[in-house]
């Protein structure tokens, strides 16, 4: 599904983010940027494990809520933006602000590098255990706010794993726009 917000188009797709043809794709990484399972593992495999490991090593980690950039190597995407979402510990440990910050930092970095299109997975909703509905509300909310700023990003794509997450995002965006 596609939604037009001012100069920005927001697309919601079900699929594998490693195949995205956006200028940048966002990785749900860990603070050590050491690679891992889930979307992080898939991105490492598709980009080229050795090259991406070496590039990540040079970055010296990434704090929760922040974002760092590498080349996209073998991906169609030119860049990979590595961001670290919070581990969900019940909701009273600043998780919502940290998740917001992960999305905002990723968009800011994409703007800095002149990206016109960016793809996001559902950060923190796998191994890190963030409740999916609250996470979707934050993800879409931050992107809708960014759309109002009319920056250089013209397209944001949410690439969701599985029909359930996809349906949840469709319902959430229709509630928020
Ligand atoms: N494309 C799109 N989404 C995917 C893909 C894919 N190829 N693979 C998984 N997902 P997770 P987190 C979805 O666990 O919760 C890693 O080990 C998945 O269904 O990848 O932020 C890191 O190294 C879920 O909805 O990330 C960290 O240690 C979403 O991506 C830790 O996991 C995020 O799930 C980060 O945990």
């Amino acid at each position: 599904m596609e939604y037009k917000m001012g100069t920005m188009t927001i697309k919601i797709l079900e699929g594998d983010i490693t195949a995205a043809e956006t200028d940048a794709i966002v990785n749900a990484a860990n603070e050590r940027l050491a690679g891992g399972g889930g979307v992080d593992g898939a991105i490492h495999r598709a980009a080229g494990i050795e090259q991406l490991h070496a590039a990540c090593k040079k970055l010296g980690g990434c704090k929760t809520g922040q974002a760092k950039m590498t080349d996209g190597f073998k991906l169609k995407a030119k860049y990979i933006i590595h961001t670290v979402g919070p581990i969900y510990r019940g909701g009273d440990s600043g998780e919502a602000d940290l998740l917001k910050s992960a999305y905002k930092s990723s968009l800011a970095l994409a703007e800095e590098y002149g990206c016109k299109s960016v793809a996001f997975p559902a950060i923190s909703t796998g191994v890190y255990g963030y409740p999916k509905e609250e996470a979707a509300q934050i993800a879409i909310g931050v992107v809708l706010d960014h759309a109002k700023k009319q920056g250089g990003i013209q397209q944001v794509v949410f690439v969701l794993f599985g029909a359930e997450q996809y349906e949840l995002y469709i319902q959430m965006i229709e509630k928020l726009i």
Side-chain angles (χ1 to χ4, degrees):
M1 291 285 280
E2 232 178 84
Y3 302 83
K4 193 108 182 87
M5 302 298 304
T7 57
M8 190 195 274
T9 302
I10 301 176
K11 267 195 199 179
I12 299 183
L13 300 178
E14 186 187 338
D16 177 359
I17 200 168
T18 63
E21 297 187 7
T22 43
D23 293 335
I25 69 167
V26 177
N27 181 19
N30 53 64
E31 286 197 334
R32 290 180 298 124
L33 298 181
V39 72
D40 196 0
I43 289 173
H44 272 77
R45 286 191 295 277
I49 290 182
E50 279 179 24
Q51 281 168 298
L52 187 52
H53 257 300
C56 284
K57 217 172 168 184
K58 287 186 198 148
L59 298 174
C62 180
K63 294 214 171 87
T64 301
Q66 298 185 0
K68 297 216 176 156
M69 181 82 97
T70 64
D71 195 271
F73 300 106
K74 291 185 199 157
L75 298 180
K76 293 228 171 72
K78 186 160 191 247
Y79 301 113
I80 302 168
I81 294 170
H82 305 266
T83 192
V84 185
I87 298 170
Y88 194 76
R89 296 190 166 93
D92 295 327
S93 308
E95 291 95 331
D97 284 342
L98 288 166
L99 188 59
K100 260 184 217 160
S101 173
Y103 280 97
K104 280 190 192 172
S105 307
S106 300
L107 289 166
L109 201 54
E111 292 285 3
E112 197 182 313
Y113 279 76
C115 297
K116 301 240 176 296
S117 54
V118 187
F120 281 98
I123 299 164
S124 282
T125 65
V127 179
Y128 281 1
Y130 210 106
K132 292 184 169 64
E133 194 171 337
E134 288 164 55
Q137 186 172 355
I138 288 172
I140 295 166
V142 170
V143 169
L144 290 175
D145 278 348
H146 193 86
K148 290 186 200 138
K149 292 185 194 151
Q150 308 216 331
I153 299 172
Q154 286 160 11
Q155 188 185 69
V156 170
V157 187
F158 289 108
V159 185
L160 290 323
F161 224 44
E164 203 181 309
Q165 279 276 61
Y166 172 79
E167 293 299 336
L168 174 64
Y169 266 65
I170 298 287
Q171 280 170 23
M172 188 58 75
I173 197 166
E174 292 189 353
K175 208 157 93 180
L176 295 179
I177 55 176

